[in-house]
């Protein structure tokens, strides 16, 4: 993240700030416009706290009509807009810009419709991820994606980042669980994409909006799929003498056609940290630990547990425990869920990376990561969604030691390049944001990026929505016929790093 | 479909036909270019045989490089291109144009890679849908979407139309089972979208390409998800005194959180026709029949069978049979699968419609459809994927009776308008093509269509790919800033109807 560049501020907009604030107050009355430094301070960063920037102004609309009026005004006046949900993005997706309106969607917090016959719910984007499940769990249903921030993160943010969680191996990412959205375009026009039905005919714009990180429009309503809670869930805790054995075990479980609800993996450092933190009985003498959860009817769980056990033993598992009660199962997870803060005790600072690889490359990537760890002289603790190949290596460093942050960032970039090299991608569930923006050319060539940017322009002709995120280079839409991305980068001024 | 309009032929292209054929022969040598009337005759229509048109020339490339060279040539020379898989489209998606190159992808018929550890296969687009399952079934795997044309239809065509089948209720449409494609743009540039991994970061262009009906580019490679064959599959045959009861039963099964592998519904006319055709013991004294299939581990099937039975009895089911053997289960399906040809014996001609509604609206739509049947004086036999609300009403008519085809078409359009009115959509799995193109404004407003067309232009700036399909109006991309769709339609000449 060294040398982060954001788009140069538009001086004409900065000069007109008072007028813009007044105009926005005419659209959103009362406390819905925040223009004081003190009032805006809570919005200066999201969960990627290494970077901070005060916005031009914060606006908190509460109706779709207000959102449409704000965007239409910004489009007419060429003012940039950064949309924001709960601000839990780990990739800096909602980092403000000095010359941009920060559009906070927190007031859109109502559940509009629960429709069991169509197995879906219609909610506003500011509803939290867990809030959906809470509204339907008394009837035996839930919303499947479960990012670890699910108590706080908004469903609108989930749509923006295509969020996952520990159960997305079986139940899919946000894109597999959202049926429709209402989207306000930068022109203020309102489109409805998808709904309570199958593919609508015409172009499927819903999927391109999911995971578009606020670059295409502002979502004001979301229709999500509801799932029935499984009858049973049981977890296995399996220890291995090497990470390669654990990686091999994951590939073989999947290769045999079994789809557990989740397969999580932790390495020696992460195991030790988690066990010291929560004391749930993780084995400390293994190099790698898998938590494999199976869910469904009881008979199915029992049958699959047996198959997974056999595969694990075949892959040289040295310890193996099956949860015998719901309490024990939750205990197995408690360590995994506490792993990030626990690792925080091993080291003053850490960087949480997010890359994805084809499952069968796990053993190779783990071994190459160890070589990189030696090269950079930095420890790495591995905690990840192994079942779907989504790695979250935590690079341990000390920001107070000269050069360690730079080394950690270079190490992180090398890990992501490695992911791409073996056929994987730069992100699993955290998004590109500003964090991985400059690595996009590692993943996509000029033709790929130009095509993505043409689609971006098809939604946002003036490039006003969340500029500086996702794409390494800003272009005027008219240039895109002949653009060359991997060459020059526009001269963005550096943003102070905290 | 009365008064079908196709884009006016480009006279300059027609005048240069000899030169174009020669140029294409330089790209695809030997028998890969077909320019004689007799040779082109098999390509003059797809499975929507009511319309026929000879193309400018047929080209059958066998490498991605050839496809790229053909498209680059057509782009430079402003020649239209109609892509074609196996030609099984029911919506006229690959109907040729007089001035367009017909690009047949049948020679792309190889399975390139089967990768069980990543549970996917990489195949060329001309491989048939069933060909994928045949390549992996000895290892216990299969490819889930199963359109009734699966012996013949190509996976490239499935991608173009986002095809479904009787099992898409549980296993999803093509868009849920394709992980990546290689796509050649009209400029000849090649992009790779998705792959053997999770969402790639950046914009998700894979999903917008799936179901885009050949309007965005030409797919030259497809990575599909493989599923493990379920241990058990059992089917229930349930008869009801009214269609409303059957519709209610479907809504309640789903509402209770059960997801059968498939729920098919047939009404009295369809049941009688199917039973007369295959003689499998369907009850003849009921108004509606459901076939409900449950699959998975044996214990799960047995448990869910009990739940479905209880719901069915609660919904006034009058007959109920559970398959006791694999032979009996296949018998239950044999009638359903023969329903279309069987209904063909009730009437000289029929129109097969394809619309989708929210499941809970089934009873209402069935009753409204009966009113329409009386209004038009035409019988309608209902055979459809009830579980996901995808209707296939078959409107019976006699083309030799003056005005009956027109009445049938008007009846069909009313059914689709009804689908949209209750919150559904114009198509479930057959695509829009030319068949439902002029109904698109029933579903989408000007803003929706303009946004879709801007995305189309972001891929195909000259509008050369499959023009006249999906969108009711042709526009130059430059117009789209200010376009108004629902107003005027460009003056397309009528195409002769057969």
């Amino acid at each position: 993240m060294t040398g982060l560049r954001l788009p140069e501020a538009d001086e004409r907009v900065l000069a007109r700030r008072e007028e813009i604030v007044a105009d926005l107050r005419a659209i959103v009355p009362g406390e819905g416009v925040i223009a004081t430094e003190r009032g805006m301070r809570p919005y200066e960063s999201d969960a990627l706290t290494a970077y901070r920037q005060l916005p031009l102004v914060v606006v908190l609309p509460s109706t779709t009509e207000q959102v449409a009026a704000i965007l239409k005004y910004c489009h007419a006046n060429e003012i940039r807009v950064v949309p924001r949900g709960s601000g839990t993005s780990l990739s800096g997706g909602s980092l403000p810009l000095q010359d941009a309106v920060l559009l906070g969607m927190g007031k859109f917090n109502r559940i509009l419709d629960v429709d069991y016959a169509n197995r879906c719910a219609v909610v506003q984007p500011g509803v939290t991820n867990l809030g959906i499940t809470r509204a339907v769990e008394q009837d035996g249903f839930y919303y499947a994606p479960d990012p670890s921030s699910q108590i706080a993160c908004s469903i609108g943010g989930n749509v923006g980042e295509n969020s996952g969680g520990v159960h997305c191996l079986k139940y899919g990412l946000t894109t597999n669980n959202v049926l429709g959205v209402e989207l306000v375009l930068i022109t203020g026009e309102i489109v409805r994409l998808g709904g309570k039905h199958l593919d609508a005919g015409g172009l499927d714009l819903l999927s391109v909006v999911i995971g578009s990180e606020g670059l295409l429009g502002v979502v004001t309503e979301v229709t999500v799929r509801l799932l029935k809670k499984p009858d049973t869930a049981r977890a296995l805790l399996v220890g291995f003498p090497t990470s390669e054995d654990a990686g091999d075990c994951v590939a073989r479980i999947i290769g045999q056609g079994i789809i557990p609800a989740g397969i999580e993996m932790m390495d020696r450092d992460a195991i030790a940290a988690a066990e010291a933190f929560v004391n749930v009985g993780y084995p400390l003498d293994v190099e790698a630990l898998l938590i494999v959860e199976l869910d469904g009817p009881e008979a199915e769980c029992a049958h699959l547990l047996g198959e997974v056990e056999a595969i694990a033993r075949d892959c040289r598992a040295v310890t193996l425990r099956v949860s015998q009660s719901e309490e024990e199962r939750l205990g197995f997870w408690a360590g995994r869920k506490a792993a990030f803060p626990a690792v925080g005790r091993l080291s003053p600072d850490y960087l949480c990376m997010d890359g994805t690889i084809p499952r069968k490359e796990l053993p190779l990537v783990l071994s190459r990561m160890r070589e990189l760890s030696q090269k950079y002289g930095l420890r790495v603790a591995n905690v990840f969604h192994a079942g779907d190949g989504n790695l979250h290596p935590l690079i341990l460093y000390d920001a107070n030691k000269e050069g360690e942050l730079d080394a950690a960032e270079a190490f992180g970039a090398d890990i992501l390049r490695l992911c791409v090299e073996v056929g994987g991608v730069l992100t699993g569930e955290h998004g590109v944001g500003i964090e991985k923006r400059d690595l996009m050319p590692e993943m996509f060539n000029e033709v790929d990026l130009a095509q993505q940017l043409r689609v971006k322009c098809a939604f946002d002709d003036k490039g006003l929505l969340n500029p500086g995120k996702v794409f390494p280079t800003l272009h005027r839409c008219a240039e895109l016929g002949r653009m060359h991305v991997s060459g020059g980068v526009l001269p963005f001024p550096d943003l102070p790093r905290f």
Side-chain angles (χ1 to χ4, degrees), chain A residues 284-295:
Chain A
L284 296 172
D285 54 348
V286 298
E287 282 300 316
L289 188 69
L290 290 183
I291 308 176
V292 183
E293 181 155 299
L294 297 157
D295 68 8

Side-chain angles (χ1 to χ4, degrees), chain A residues 56-100:
Chain A
L56 184 73
V57 55
V58 175
V59 188
L60 306 173
S62 53
T63 68
T64 300
E65 292 65 35
Q66 288 177 349
V67 173
I70 294 164
L71 294 184
K72 186 178 180 183
Y73 171 79
C74 289
H75 187 248
N77 290 278
E78 306 209 350
I79 301 164
R80 290 164 172 164
V81 179
V82 175
R84 176 185 164 111
S86 300
T88 57
S89 170
L90 286 163
S91 61
S94 52
L95 181 75
L97 294 174
Q98 190 192 357
D99 62 346

